[in-house]
Amino acid sequence: MSESLDARLEAGVAIVSVLVFIGILVGGATMADGSGQTAAYTVVGAIVAFILLMAGVGYWLSTKQE
């Protein structure tokens, strides 16, 4: 693959991952209905899910062959 295509693929995957993170935060906040402890668990869960997702994406991108 060309370098510009690789860069676009990496940027696209990163953008989609961030959108998933924002979706989890918004969806969790909507479901929590302002309940303090539940909303806090939702935020922590979203952060953990985002870290795991980005680690998986990073691993996939690092092992991808031409």
Side-chain angles (χ1 to χ4, degrees):
M1 259 192 240
S2 69
E3 288 183 30
S4 65
L5 183 58
D6 283 343
R8 286 186 289 181
L9 176 65
E10 291 173 9
V13 169
I15 289 170
V16 168
S17 299
V18 170
L19 290 176
V20 167
F21 173 65
I22 292 171
I24 291 171
L25 283 179
V26 170
T30 302
M31 287 186 215
D33 280 338
S35 175
Q37 189 173 8
T38 305
Y41 285 139
T42 301
V43 170
V44 171
I47 292 169
V48 169
F50 179 70
I51 289 170
L52 293 175
L53 176 67
M54 290 306 288
V57 166
Y59 178 76
W60 175 72
L61 287 173
S62 71
T63 60
K64 164 172 85 73
Q65 300 285 327
E66 282 191 41

Short mmCIF file of all heavy atoms in Angstrom, two decimals:
data_model
loop_
_atom_site.label_atom_id
_atom_site.label_comp_id
_atom_site.label_asym_id
_atom_site.label_seq_id
_atom_site.Cartn_x
_atom_site.Cartn_y
_atom_site.Cartn_z
N MET A 1 0.84 -1.18 0.00
CA MET A 1 0.00 0.00 0.00
C MET A 1 0.88 1.24 0.00
O MET A 1 1.96 1.24 0.54
CB MET A 1 -0.86 0.01 1.26
CG MET A 1 -2.26 -0.44 1.05
SD MET A 1 -3.27 -0.05 2.47
CE MET A 1 -3.78 -1.70 2.90
N SER A 2 0.36 2.29 -0.56
CA SER A 2 1.13 3.53 -0.57
C SER A 2 1.04 4.20 0.80
O SER A 2 0.17 3.92 1.61
CB SER A 2 0.58 4.46 -1.64
OG SER A 2 -0.70 4.93 -1.28
N GLU A 3 1.99 5.09 1.04
CA GLU A 3 2.04 5.75 2.34
C GLU A 3 0.82 6.64 2.59
O GLU A 3 0.34 6.73 3.70
CB GLU A 3 3.32 6.57 2.45
CG GLU A 3 4.55 5.71 2.60
CD GLU A 3 5.80 6.56 2.79
OE1 GLU A 3 5.70 7.65 3.35
OE2 GLU A 3 6.86 6.09 2.36
N SER A 4 0.33 7.30 1.54
CA SER A 4 -0.83 8.17 1.74
C SER A 4 -2.08 7.35 2.05
O SER A 4 -2.91 7.77 2.86
CB SER A 4 -1.05 9.04 0.51
OG SER A 4 -1.40 8.25 -0.61
N LEU A 5 -2.19 6.17 1.44
CA LEU A 5 -3.33 5.32 1.74
C LEU A 5 -3.24 4.79 3.17
O LEU A 5 -4.24 4.74 3.89
CB LEU A 5 -3.40 4.15 0.75
CG LEU A 5 -4.60 3.21 0.89
CD1 LEU A 5 -5.90 3.99 0.75
CD2 LEU A 5 -4.52 2.12 -0.15
N ASP A 6 -2.04 4.41 3.60
CA ASP A 6 -1.84 3.96 4.97
C ASP A 6 -2.20 5.07 5.97
O ASP A 6 -2.85 4.81 6.98
CB ASP A 6 -0.40 3.54 5.21
CG ASP A 6 -0.08 2.17 4.63
OD1 ASP A 6 -1.03 1.42 4.33
OD2 ASP A 6 1.11 1.88 4.46
N ALA A 7 -1.78 6.28 5.67
CA ALA A 7 -2.07 7.40 6.57
C ALA A 7 -3.56 7.66 6.64
O ALA A 7 -4.11 7.92 7.73
CB ALA A 7 -1.33 8.65 6.11
N ARG A 8 -4.24 7.58 5.51
CA ARG A 8 -5.70 7.79 5.51
C ARG A 8 -6.41 6.69 6.27
O ARG A 8 -7.37 6.95 7.00
CB ARG A 8 -6.23 7.89 4.09
CG ARG A 8 -5.89 9.21 3.42
CD ARG A 8 -6.56 9.32 2.09
NE ARG A 8 -5.87 8.36 1.21
CZ ARG A 8 -6.17 8.18 -0.06
NH1 ARG A 8 -7.15 8.85 -0.61
NH2 ARG A 8 -5.51 7.31 -0.79
N LEU A 9 -5.94 5.45 6.12
CA LEU A 9 -6.54 4.33 6.84
C LEU A 9 -6.37 4.50 8.34
O LEU A 9 -7.31 4.34 9.11
CB LEU A 9 -5.92 3.01 6.39
CG LEU A 9 -6.38 1.76 7.13
CD1 LEU A 9 -7.86 1.50 6.86
CD2 LEU A 9 -5.54 0.57 6.72
N GLU A 10 -5.17 4.85 8.77
CA GLU A 10 -4.90 5.05 10.19
C GLU A 10 -5.73 6.20 10.76
O GLU A 10 -6.28 6.10 11.86
CB GLU A 10 -3.42 5.31 10.42
CG GLU A 10 -2.56 4.08 10.16
CD GLU A 10 -1.08 4.37 10.21
OE1 GLU A 10 -0.69 5.48 10.62
OE2 GLU A 10 -0.31 3.47 9.83
N ALA A 11 -5.83 7.29 10.01
CA ALA A 11 -6.64 8.43 10.46
C ALA A 11 -8.11 8.05 10.54
O ALA A 11 -8.80 8.41 11.49
CB ALA A 11 -6.44 9.62 9.53
N GLY A 12 -8.59 7.32 9.56
CA GLY A 12 -9.99 6.89 9.56
C GLY A 12 -10.32 5.99 10.72
O GLY A 12 -11.35 6.14 11.38
N VAL A 13 -9.44 5.04 11.01
CA VAL A 13 -9.65 4.13 12.14
C VAL A 13 -9.63 4.91 13.46
O VAL A 13 -10.46 4.66 14.34
CB VAL A 13 -8.59 3.01 12.13
CG1 VAL A 13 -8.60 2.22 13.41
CG2 VAL A 13 -8.80 2.09 10.94
N ALA A 14 -8.73 5.85 13.59
CA ALA A 14 -8.67 6.66 14.81
C ALA A 14 -9.93 7.50 14.98
O ALA A 14 -10.48 7.59 16.09
CB ALA A 14 -7.44 7.55 14.79
N ILE A 15 -10.42 8.08 13.90
CA ILE A 15 -11.64 8.90 13.97
C ILE A 15 -12.83 8.04 14.36
O ILE A 15 -13.65 8.43 15.20
CB ILE A 15 -11.86 9.64 12.65
CG1 ILE A 15 -10.81 10.74 12.49
CG2 ILE A 15 -13.26 10.22 12.57
CD1 ILE A 15 -10.79 11.38 11.12
N VAL A 16 -12.96 6.86 13.76
CA VAL A 16 -14.07 5.97 14.09
C VAL A 16 -13.98 5.55 15.55
O VAL A 16 -15.00 5.50 16.25
CB VAL A 16 -14.09 4.75 13.14
CG1 VAL A 16 -15.04 3.68 13.64
CG2 VAL A 16 -14.47 5.17 11.74
N SER A 17 -12.79 5.27 16.04
CA SER A 17 -12.62 4.88 17.44
C SER A 17 -13.04 6.00 18.38
O SER A 17 -13.69 5.75 19.40
CB SER A 17 -11.16 4.50 17.70
OG SER A 17 -10.80 3.41 16.91
N VAL A 18 -12.67 7.21 18.06
CA VAL A 18 -13.08 8.36 18.89
C VAL A 18 -14.59 8.55 18.84
O VAL A 18 -15.23 8.84 19.87
CB VAL A 18 -12.33 9.64 18.46
CG1 VAL A 18 -12.91 10.87 19.12
CG2 VAL A 18 -10.85 9.52 18.76
N LEU A 19 -15.19 8.36 17.68
CA LEU A 19 -16.65 8.47 17.58
C LEU A 19 -17.35 7.39 18.41
O LEU A 19 -18.39 7.66 19.02
CB LEU A 19 -17.09 8.41 16.12
CG LEU A 19 -16.72 9.62 15.27
CD1 LEU A 19 -17.11 9.39 13.81
CD2 LEU A 19 -17.35 10.89 15.81
N VAL A 20 -16.78 6.19 18.44
CA VAL A 20 -17.34 5.13 19.29
C VAL A 20 -17.24 5.54 20.76
O VAL A 20 -18.19 5.37 21.53
CB VAL A 20 -16.61 3.79 19.03
CG1 VAL A 20 -16.94 2.77 20.10
CG2 VAL A 20 -16.96 3.26 17.65
N PHE A 21 -16.11 6.11 21.16
CA PHE A 21 -15.93 6.58 22.53
C PHE A 21 -16.97 7.65 22.88
O PHE A 21 -17.61 7.58 23.93
CB PHE A 21 -14.51 7.14 22.69
CG PHE A 21 -14.24 7.80 24.00
CD1 PHE A 21 -14.27 7.08 25.19
CD2 PHE A 21 -13.94 9.15 24.06
CE1 PHE A 21 -14.01 7.69 26.40
CE2 PHE A 21 -13.67 9.76 25.27
CZ PHE A 21 -13.71 9.02 26.44
N ILE A 22 -17.15 8.60 22.00
CA ILE A 22 -18.14 9.66 22.25
C ILE A 22 -19.54 9.07 22.31
O ILE A 22 -20.36 9.46 23.15
CB ILE A 22 -18.02 10.77 21.18
CG1 ILE A 22 -16.70 11.51 21.36
CG2 ILE A 22 -19.20 11.73 21.26
CD1 ILE A 22 -16.38 12.48 20.24
N GLY A 23 -19.83 8.11 21.44
CA GLY A 23 -21.14 7.45 21.45
C GLY A 23 -21.40 6.73 22.76
O GLY A 23 -22.51 6.77 23.30
N ILE A 24 -20.37 6.05 23.28
CA ILE A 24 -20.53 5.37 24.57
C ILE A 24 -20.79 6.38 25.68
O ILE A 24 -21.66 6.17 26.53
CB ILE A 24 -19.28 4.52 24.89
CG1 ILE A 24 -19.19 3.33 23.93
CG2 ILE A 24 -19.31 4.03 26.34
CD1 ILE A 24 -17.88 2.57 24.04
N LEU A 25 -20.06 7.49 25.66
CA LEU A 25 -20.27 8.52 26.69
C LEU A 25 -21.67 9.11 26.62
O LEU A 25 -22.35 9.24 27.64
CB LEU A 25 -19.24 9.63 26.56
CG LEU A 25 -17.84 9.34 27.08
CD1 LEU A 25 -16.95 10.55 26.83
CD2 LEU A 25 -17.86 9.02 28.55
N VAL A 26 -22.10 9.46 25.42
CA VAL A 26 -23.43 10.07 25.26
C VAL A 26 -24.53 9.07 25.61
O VAL A 26 -25.48 9.38 26.33
CB VAL A 26 -23.61 10.63 23.84
CG1 VAL A 26 -25.04 11.03 23.57
CG2 VAL A 26 -22.67 11.80 23.62
N GLY A 27 -24.39 7.85 25.10
CA GLY A 27 -25.39 6.82 25.40
C GLY A 27 -25.44 6.49 26.88
O GLY A 27 -26.52 6.34 27.46
N GLY A 28 -24.30 6.38 27.52
CA GLY A 28 -24.26 6.10 28.94
C GLY A 28 -24.82 7.23 29.77
O GLY A 28 -25.52 7.01 30.76
N ALA A 29 -24.53 8.47 29.37
CA ALA A 29 -25.06 9.62 30.09
C ALA A 29 -26.58 9.71 29.95
O ALA A 29 -27.28 10.09 30.89
CB ALA A 29 -24.41 10.90 29.59
N THR A 30 -27.07 9.33 28.80
CA THR A 30 -28.51 9.35 28.57
C THR A 30 -29.20 8.30 29.43
O THR A 30 -30.25 8.55 30.01
CB THR A 30 -28.83 9.10 27.08
OG1 THR A 30 -28.17 10.09 26.31
CG2 THR A 30 -30.31 9.16 26.81
N MET A 31 -28.61 7.12 29.51
CA MET A 31 -29.20 6.04 30.30
C MET A 31 -29.07 6.28 31.80
O MET A 31 -29.89 5.80 32.58
CB MET A 31 -28.54 4.72 29.94
CG MET A 31 -28.94 4.18 28.62
SD MET A 31 -28.23 2.54 28.44
CE MET A 31 -27.87 2.54 26.72
N ALA A 32 -28.03 6.97 32.22
CA ALA A 32 -27.78 7.17 33.65
C ALA A 32 -28.78 8.13 34.28
O ALA A 32 -29.00 8.08 35.48
CB ALA A 32 -26.36 7.69 33.87
N ASP A 33 -29.38 9.01 33.50
CA ASP A 33 -30.37 9.98 33.99
C ASP A 33 -29.87 10.80 35.17
O ASP A 33 -30.58 11.05 36.13
CB ASP A 33 -31.67 9.28 34.39
CG ASP A 33 -32.55 8.96 33.19
OD1 ASP A 33 -32.36 9.61 32.14
OD2 ASP A 33 -33.40 8.06 33.30
N GLY A 34 -28.61 11.19 35.13
CA GLY A 34 -28.08 12.07 36.15
C GLY A 34 -27.75 11.40 37.47
O GLY A 34 -27.39 12.07 38.42
N SER A 35 -27.88 10.09 37.55
CA SER A 35 -27.53 9.38 38.77
C SER A 35 -26.01 9.43 38.92
O SER A 35 -25.28 8.94 38.08
CB SER A 35 -28.01 7.93 38.69
OG SER A 35 -27.56 7.21 39.80
N GLY A 36 -25.54 10.03 40.00
CA GLY A 36 -24.12 10.31 40.18
C GLY A 36 -23.22 9.10 40.07
O GLY A 36 -22.27 9.08 39.29
N GLN A 37 -23.50 8.04 40.82
CA GLN A 37 -22.63 6.89 40.83
C GLN A 37 -22.71 6.13 39.50
O GLN A 37 -21.69 5.70 38.97
CB GLN A 37 -23.01 5.96 41.99
CG GLN A 37 -22.03 4.85 42.20
CD GLN A 37 -22.34 4.05 43.46
OE1 GLN A 37 -23.37 4.24 44.08
NE2 GLN A 37 -21.44 3.16 43.82
N THR A 38 -23.89 5.98 38.95
CA THR A 38 -24.05 5.27 37.69
C THR A 38 -23.37 6.02 36.56
O THR A 38 -22.72 5.42 35.70
CB THR A 38 -25.55 5.08 37.36
OG1 THR A 38 -26.18 4.42 38.46
CG2 THR A 38 -25.73 4.27 36.11
N ALA A 39 -23.50 7.33 36.55
CA ALA A 39 -22.84 8.14 35.52
C ALA A 39 -21.33 8.03 35.63
O ALA A 39 -20.62 7.96 34.62
CB ALA A 39 -23.29 9.59 35.62
N ALA A 40 -20.82 7.98 36.85
CA ALA A 40 -19.37 7.85 37.05
C ALA A 40 -18.88 6.51 36.54
O ALA A 40 -17.83 6.43 35.89
CB ALA A 40 -19.03 8.01 38.52
N TYR A 41 -19.62 5.44 36.82
CA TYR A 41 -19.25 4.12 36.30
C TYR A 41 -19.29 4.10 34.78
O TYR A 41 -18.46 3.45 34.14
CB TYR A 41 -20.17 3.04 36.85
CG TYR A 41 -19.89 2.68 38.30
CD1 TYR A 41 -20.93 2.45 39.18
CD2 TYR A 41 -18.59 2.55 38.77
CE1 TYR A 41 -20.69 2.10 40.50
CE2 TYR A 41 -18.34 2.21 40.09
CZ TYR A 41 -19.40 1.99 40.94
OH TYR A 41 -19.15 1.65 42.25
N THR A 42 -20.24 4.80 34.20
CA THR A 42 -20.34 4.86 32.75
C THR A 42 -19.12 5.55 32.15
O THR A 42 -18.57 5.08 31.16
CB THR A 42 -21.63 5.61 32.34
OG1 THR A 42 -22.75 4.93 32.90
CG2 THR A 42 -21.76 5.67 30.84
N VAL A 43 -18.70 6.64 32.74
CA VAL A 43 -17.53 7.36 32.24
C VAL A 43 -16.28 6.50 32.36
O VAL A 43 -15.49 6.40 31.42
CB VAL A 43 -17.36 8.70 32.98
CG1 VAL A 43 -16.03 9.33 32.65
CG2 VAL A 43 -18.50 9.65 32.64
N VAL A 44 -16.11 5.86 33.50
CA VAL A 44 -14.94 4.99 33.70
C VAL A 44 -14.98 3.82 32.72
O VAL A 44 -13.97 3.47 32.11
CB VAL A 44 -14.86 4.50 35.16
CG1 VAL A 44 -13.81 3.42 35.32
CG2 VAL A 44 -14.59 5.66 36.09
N GLY A 45 -16.14 3.23 32.55
CA GLY A 45 -16.28 2.13 31.59
C GLY A 45 -15.98 2.57 30.16
O GLY A 45 -15.36 1.84 29.39
N ALA A 46 -16.42 3.77 29.80
CA ALA A 46 -16.15 4.29 28.46
C ALA A 46 -14.66 4.52 28.26
O ALA A 46 -14.12 4.23 27.19
CB ALA A 46 -16.93 5.59 28.24
N ILE A 47 -13.99 5.02 29.27
CA ILE A 47 -12.55 5.26 29.17
C ILE A 47 -11.80 3.93 29.02
O ILE A 47 -10.91 3.79 28.18
CB ILE A 47 -12.04 6.07 30.37
CG1 ILE A 47 -12.60 7.49 30.31
CG2 ILE A 47 -10.52 6.08 30.43
CD1 ILE A 47 -12.38 8.30 31.56
N VAL A 48 -12.19 2.94 29.81
CA VAL A 48 -11.55 1.62 29.72
C VAL A 48 -11.81 1.00 28.35
O VAL A 48 -10.89 0.45 27.72
CB VAL A 48 -12.05 0.69 30.86
CG1 VAL A 48 -11.61 -0.74 30.64
CG2 VAL A 48 -11.55 1.20 32.20
N ALA A 49 -13.05 1.08 27.87
CA ALA A 49 -13.37 0.53 26.55
C ALA A 49 -12.57 1.25 25.45
O ALA A 49 -12.09 0.61 24.51
CB ALA A 49 -14.88 0.67 26.28
N PHE A 50 -12.40 2.55 25.58
CA PHE A 50 -11.65 3.32 24.59
C PHE A 50 -10.17 2.90 24.60
O PHE A 50 -9.57 2.72 23.55
CB PHE A 50 -11.78 4.81 24.87
CG PHE A 50 -11.02 5.68 23.91
CD1 PHE A 50 -11.42 5.80 22.60
CD2 PHE A 50 -9.90 6.37 24.33
CE1 PHE A 50 -10.72 6.59 21.71
CE2 PHE A 50 -9.19 7.18 23.45
CZ PHE A 50 -9.61 7.28 22.14
N ILE A 51 -9.61 2.71 25.77
CA ILE A 51 -8.21 2.30 25.87
C ILE A 51 -8.03 0.92 25.23
O ILE A 51 -7.08 0.70 24.46
CB ILE A 51 -7.74 2.31 27.33
CG1 ILE A 51 -7.63 3.75 27.83
CG2 ILE A 51 -6.41 1.57 27.50
CD1 ILE A 51 -7.41 3.88 29.33
N LEU A 52 -8.92 -0.01 25.54
CA LEU A 52 -8.82 -1.35 24.97
C LEU A 52 -9.03 -1.32 23.45
O LEU A 52 -8.33 -2.03 22.71
CB LEU A 52 -9.83 -2.28 25.63
CG LEU A 52 -9.58 -2.60 27.10
CD1 LEU A 52 -10.72 -3.43 27.67
CD2 LEU A 52 -8.25 -3.30 27.28
N LEU A 53 -9.98 -0.52 22.99
CA LEU A 53 -10.22 -0.40 21.56
C LEU A 53 -9.00 0.16 20.84
O LEU A 53 -8.56 -0.37 19.81
CB LEU A 53 -11.44 0.49 21.30
CG LEU A 53 -11.77 0.80 19.84
CD1 LEU A 53 -12.22 -0.48 19.14
CD2 LEU A 53 -12.86 1.85 19.75
N MET A 54 -8.41 1.22 21.38
CA MET A 54 -7.24 1.82 20.74
C MET A 54 -6.04 0.89 20.80
O MET A 54 -5.22 0.86 19.87
CB MET A 54 -6.92 3.17 21.38
CG MET A 54 -7.95 4.24 21.06
SD MET A 54 -8.26 4.48 19.30
CE MET A 54 -6.75 5.27 18.81
N ALA A 55 -5.90 0.11 21.87
CA ALA A 55 -4.81 -0.87 21.94
C ALA A 55 -4.99 -1.93 20.86
O ALA A 55 -4.03 -2.31 20.18
CB ALA A 55 -4.77 -1.51 23.32
N GLY A 56 -6.21 -2.40 20.68
CA GLY A 56 -6.49 -3.38 19.64
C GLY A 56 -6.25 -2.83 18.24
O GLY A 56 -5.66 -3.49 17.38
N VAL A 57 -6.68 -1.60 18.01
CA VAL A 57 -6.47 -0.96 16.72
C VAL A 57 -4.98 -0.74 16.47
O VAL A 57 -4.48 -0.99 15.36
CB VAL A 57 -7.25 0.38 16.64
CG1 VAL A 57 -6.80 1.22 15.47
CG2 VAL A 57 -8.74 0.12 16.57
N GLY A 58 -4.27 -0.31 17.48
CA GLY A 58 -2.82 -0.11 17.33
C GLY A 58 -2.10 -1.41 17.03
O GLY A 58 -1.21 -1.45 16.18
N TYR A 59 -2.51 -2.48 17.69
CA TYR A 59 -1.89 -3.78 17.42
C TYR A 59 -2.19 -4.22 15.99
O TYR A 59 -1.31 -4.69 15.28
CB TYR A 59 -2.39 -4.82 18.42
CG TYR A 59 -1.83 -6.19 18.16
CD1 TYR A 59 -0.52 -6.49 18.50
CD2 TYR A 59 -2.61 -7.17 17.57
CE1 TYR A 59 0.01 -7.73 18.25
CE2 TYR A 59 -2.08 -8.42 17.31
CZ TYR A 59 -0.77 -8.70 17.65
OH TYR A 59 -0.26 -9.95 17.39
N TRP A 60 -3.45 -4.06 15.58
CA TRP A 60 -3.84 -4.45 14.22
C TRP A 60 -3.06 -3.65 13.18
O TRP A 60 -2.57 -4.21 12.20
CB TRP A 60 -5.34 -4.26 14.02
CG TRP A 60 -5.78 -4.53 12.62
CD1 TRP A 60 -5.86 -5.74 12.01
CD2 TRP A 60 -6.18 -3.56 11.66
NE1 TRP A 60 -6.30 -5.57 10.72
CE2 TRP A 60 -6.50 -4.25 10.48
CE3 TRP A 60 -6.31 -2.17 11.69
CZ2 TRP A 60 -6.95 -3.61 9.33
CZ3 TRP A 60 -6.74 -1.54 10.54
CH2 TRP A 60 -7.06 -2.24 9.39
N LEU A 61 -2.93 -2.36 13.40
CA LEU A 61 -2.20 -1.53 12.44
C LEU A 61 -0.72 -1.87 12.42
O LEU A 61 -0.07 -1.78 11.37
CB LEU A 61 -2.40 -0.04 12.76
CG LEU A 61 -3.77 0.53 12.42
CD1 LEU A 61 -3.89 1.95 12.95
CD2 LEU A 61 -4.05 0.49 10.93
N SER A 62 -0.16 -2.25 13.55
CA SER A 62 1.28 -2.55 13.60
C SER A 62 1.62 -3.88 12.94
O SER A 62 2.74 -4.08 12.49
CB SER A 62 1.79 -2.55 15.03
OG SER A 62 1.30 -3.66 15.74
N THR A 63 0.66 -4.81 12.89
CA THR A 63 0.93 -6.11 12.29
C THR A 63 0.49 -6.22 10.85
O THR A 63 0.74 -7.22 10.21
CB THR A 63 0.21 -7.22 13.10
OG1 THR A 63 -1.20 -6.98 13.08
CG2 THR A 63 0.71 -7.27 14.52
N LYS A 64 -0.14 -5.19 10.34
CA LYS A 64 -0.65 -5.21 8.97
C LYS A 64 0.51 -5.22 7.98
O LYS A 64 1.44 -4.44 8.09
CB LYS A 64 -1.57 -4.01 8.82
CG LYS A 64 -1.95 -3.54 7.52
CD LYS A 64 -3.01 -2.48 7.66
CE LYS A 64 -2.47 -1.11 7.89
NZ LYS A 64 -1.86 -0.52 6.74
N GLN A 65 0.44 -6.12 7.01
CA GLN A 65 1.48 -6.25 5.99
C GLN A 65 1.09 -5.45 4.76
O GLN A 65 -0.07 -5.13 4.55
CB GLN A 65 1.66 -7.72 5.61
CG GLN A 65 2.07 -8.60 6.76
CD GLN A 65 3.51 -8.44 7.13
OE1 GLN A 65 4.34 -8.18 6.28
NE2 GLN A 65 3.82 -8.58 8.41
N GLU A 66 2.07 -5.18 3.91
CA GLU A 66 1.78 -4.45 2.66
C GLU A 66 1.00 -5.27 1.72
O GLU A 66 1.08 -6.28 1.31
CB GLU A 66 3.08 -3.98 2.01
CG GLU A 66 3.60 -2.78 2.69
CD GLU A 66 4.74 -2.16 1.90
OE1 GLU A 66 4.66 -2.09 0.68
OE2 GLU A 66 5.70 -1.75 2.55
#
